[in-house]
Amino acid sequence: MKAPLKGLIIAGSMIFAAQSANAIGCLSGGAAGAVAGHYAGHHAVLGAVGGCVVGHHYAKKQKAEKKAAAAAEANAQHAPSHT
């Protein structure tokens, strides 16, 4: 029972890692999650998957915030000045 579950978890984490746009978030989150999972009861694989999901989410969120800030800056530069 454990072997198929581990295989499923590893396959799921590889799907997230394969996404090139947010691979950094998945890899860094997965590494942190693996370490935390290992120390929290030898659940490194489960921690890595959870860390990958969270890292992917935060990387996507950060990318959207940077895009919004760049758009706001571009709009501010093109706005007419009333002085």
Side-chain angles (χ1 to χ4, degrees), residues 22 24-25 55-69:
N22 296 312
I24 290 293
H56 175 78
H57 169 74
Y58 280 116
K60 188 175 177 181
K61 183 177 175 182
Q62 186 178 24
K63 184 177 177 182
E65 287 173 355
K66 283 183 181 180
K67 187 175 179 179

Side-chain angles (χ1 to χ4, degrees), residues 18-78:
Q19 295 178 355
S20 62
N22 296 312
I24 290 293
C26 181
L27 294 176
S28 61
V35 171
H38 172 73
Y39 284 109
H42 300 287
H43 299 291
V45 175
L46 187 60
V49 172
C52 177
V53 170
V54 172
H56 175 78
H57 169 74
Y58 280 116
K60 188 175 177 181
K61 183 177 175 182
Q62 186 178 24
K63 184 177 177 182
E65 287 173 355
K66 283 183 181 180
K67 187 175 179 179
E73 185 178 326
N75 286 338
Q77 288 178 352
H78 295 299

